[in-house]
Amino acid sequence: QVQLVESGGGLVQAGASLRLSCAASGRTFSTARMAWYRQAPGKDRDFVAVIVWSGGLTYYADSVKGRFTISGDNAKNTVYLQMNSLKPEDTAVYYCAASAGTHGEYESWGQGTQVTVSS
């Protein structure tokens, strides 16, 4: 089992930047990929970005491509989400997820961190 703790959320104005962090503990050696999802009020949880440790491959949702960057420090078992040019529609609770596989469901989820972008 992998435990995930997110941090770095907050209230910012449109156009600002934030960096989210997700620290993993437990069976981190079994983690093959880590991702960020977000859930806005009244909406489903949506994919934001993923990093696959082997090869460092990254993928992004179209809505954040060019503005957000996912990165990670495998030695520190930490993944980051650098968010630039934030928009009010980026307001959501951001969740970190981890999986032992490169496809399919994520086995571990964090509690989430709130990001609020004011116009």
Side-chain angles (χ1 to χ4, degrees), residues 56-74:
L57 297 176
T58 57
Y59 300 95
Y60 297 91
D62 287 343
S63 58
V64 307
K65 205 172 292 184
R67 298 187 299 123
F68 291 11
T69 303
I70 188 170
S71 62
D73 186 333
N74 208 352

Side-chain angles (χ1 to χ4, degrees), residues 39-52:
Q39 187 168 21
K43 296 189 177 180
D44 293 333
R45 188 176 297 187
D46 291 330
F47 168 77
V48 176
V50 62
I51 184 167
V52 181

